[in-house]
Amino acid sequence: MPTNYEQLREENIARNKKLLEGLMKKNAIEDARRPQPKRTRRVDRKSAPGKPKKRMQRTDDDEIEDPHPIKRARPETPQSGVRRSQRNAGKAIPDYQAESQQARLPRLVTTKVGVDHDRDPNRPSGKRIHDPKTFGHIPGIPVGTWWESREDCSNDAIHAPWVAGISGSNEGAYSVALSGGYEDDIDMGDYFTFTGSGGRALRGTKTNPKNLRTAPQSSDQSFEHSFNKALKISSETRKPVRVIRGFKLPSPYAPFEGYRYDGLYTVEEAWMEQGLNDGGFLVCKFAFRRVPGQPPLQVKAEGEADDNHDEDSASFTA
DNA sequence: GGGCCCGCAGGG
DNA sequence: CCCTGCGGGCCC
């Protein structure tokens, strides 16, 4: 670990944060200049007296005009404060205080891997009914849909790869997964930075061969890499990219467990910088912006935020 | 907690 | 075919 690791970390985070804030400001100005879009929801009925509002205060579970209602989980609701570890996924959740919570909240759905979802009866178990290699939303999968595993998410055609964070082609990227693999990525919800793929020694070394699926950075990334190239193309075509957030992402916008579809984003910038890795290898970076007009992002409640960023006591390494 | 190693889907 | 990939299960 280089001695300037901490410094690089600070620099990267500060620079990327600044970049995102710049984008945010710029877009806010542009949006204000643009003619107001037509309202799709009627919010201007100024609470006529005696007429109770149809819709209660919006909660995380509210769905806006979703023609395909499905069962959704509430991954942000800790069950008795127990954070389920990955290896418990698939097993039943210990149901500690059943009634009190279930009266108010939808049950945390824990469909087993491989078992059919009840979300779409048309889909045979484990099979897709939609093509993940398309741009934009997938029919029947509203923003906010949650899965226990990447496999389930893949079956719903939101993000095809089970492991890889980017899915795309020479037409651009279809989807990305935010799983917290890069420490200096910043997630501000509507804006985030994202690191490309490649440059990892998945096969280990000659003397110590391995057969890994993920590994530490061991060489420079490049925009020649097809996935990174796809994202760069997306930054030029401005086609929307589906985004899922995973439980490992150290962010208030990450789900408490599993994976969640957070809607469409555009790639605003693509650049390279020294990555926060043991060796200072270059990485491809991208800045994303959430397409306006989508259901609000779900945010972790107070007290269940990830510890990762809470303590500034340089406890990032073990 | 960490290490190991696997199936799998997708791309070349 | 082979190789890759910010998963996931199992064992320690």
Side-chain angles (χ1 to χ4, degrees):
Chain A
M1 198 72 64
T3 55
N4 61 347
Y5 188 86
E6 187 61 31
Q7 189 191 340
L8 181 63
R9 171 192 162 92
E10 301 300 327
E11 284 173 5
N12 280 1
I13 289 177
R15 173 164 19 85
N16 290 332
K17 201 171 270 181
K18 201 168 165 186
L19 186 141
L20 291 187
E21 283 165 356
L23 282 176
M24 200 188 320
K25 201 172 287 183
K26 183 190 103 189
N27 286 319
I29 292 169
E30 284 181 9
D31 288 350
R33 249 203 287 267
R34 243 191 296 276
Q36 288 293 328
K38 274 189 209 154
R39 296 205 140 128
T40 53
R41 296 175 69 200
R42 251 173 249 151
V43 284
D44 39 48
R45 192 202 306 139
K46 283 187 189 157
S47 55
K51 237 183 177 184
K53 277 188 191 164
K54 195 97 183 242
R55 199 172 260 284
M56 299 293 287
Q57 177 127 35
R58 186 180 164 75
T59 72
D60 283 353
D61 284 322
D62 267 359
E63 293 176 26
I64 300 179
E65 298 147 10
D66 176 24
H68 307 87
I70 58 164
K71 268 194 197 166
R72 275 214 268 136
R74 282 192 52 105
E76 289 70 32
T77 303
Q79 303 244 333
S80 342
V82 174
R83 172 166 183 157
R84 297 172 65 218
S85 80
Q86 202 45 37
R87 62 191 41 169
N88 287 333
K91 293 178 193 157
I93 293 182
D95 201 2
Y96 294 111
Q97 77 291 57
E99 269 92 87
S100 58
Q101 287 221 345
Q102 282 187 2
R104 289 186 14 212
L105 303 172
R107 198 167 54 87
L108 181 57
V109 178
T110 53
T111 38
K112 269 186 166 176
V113 172
V115 174
D116 210 353
H117 296 225
D118 41 18
R119 122 171 2 110
D120 193 338
N122 293 325
R123 195 189 77 207
S125 176
K127 293 238 178 74
R128 280 191 196 125
I129 60 171
H130 294 292
D131 183 6
K133 287 156 77 172
T134 56
F135 296 98
H137 290 300
I138 301 296
I141 312 295
V143 172
T145 298
W146 176 90
W147 306 268
E148 182 175 287
S149 71
R150 289 278 296 264
E151 180 183 357
D152 291 341
C153 173
S154 175
N155 285 335
D156 276 345
I158 289 291
H159 184 66
W162 288 23
V163 177
I166 306 168
S167 169
S169 70
N170 56 9
E171 294 184 279
Y174 306 116
S175 55
V176 298
L178 279 65
S179 295
Y182 297 87
E183 220 187 314
D184 49 353
D185 276 339
I186 295 177
D187 186 7
M188 297 175 11
D190 285 345
Y191 292 82
F192 63 84
T193 61
F194 185 81
T195 304
S197 63
R200 298 169 182 243
L202 298 176
R203 310 183 57 89
T205 62
K206 259 180 193 162
T207 54
N208 188 18
K210 292 192 166 136
N211 185 16
L212 302 169
R213 296 297 177 269
T214 64
Q217 208 76 34
S218 58
S219 62
D220 288 346
Q221 294 185 356
S222 139
F223 285 118
E224 296 310 303
H225 187 290
S226 63
F227 290 156
N228 300 335
K229 193 190 279 177
L231 279 174
K232 186 157 175 57
I233 291 169
S234 290
S235 74
E236 292 154 6
T237 66
R238 311 200 50 77
K239 281 185 186 164
V241 180
R242 292 186 296 274
V243 169
I244 63 169
R245 283 185 170 84
F247 70 99
K248 288 184 201 161
L249 182 70
S251 153
Y253 302 98
F256 187 72
E257 61 170 339
Y259 299 85
R260 188 186 58 224
Y261 177 43
D262 279 342
L264 303 178
Y265 286 69
T266 49
V267 183
E268 303 281 309
E269 304 270 353
W271 72 99
M272 293 197 78
E273 68 183 31
Q274 186 180 4
L276 195 63
N277 50 60
D278 192 358
F281 299 108
L282 294 177
V283 293
C284 299
K285 300 282 280 196
F286 305 90
F288 282 66
R289 178 201 182 194
R290 195 163 194 251
V291 174
Q294 302 182 83
L297 288 172
Q298 299 177 35
V299 186
K300 280 178 181 165
E302 203 65 34
E304 49 178 325
D306 264 27
D307 328 299
N308 303 34
H309 279 358
D310 291 1
E311 280 127 17
D312 295 329
S313 49
S315 57
F316 55 87
T317 181

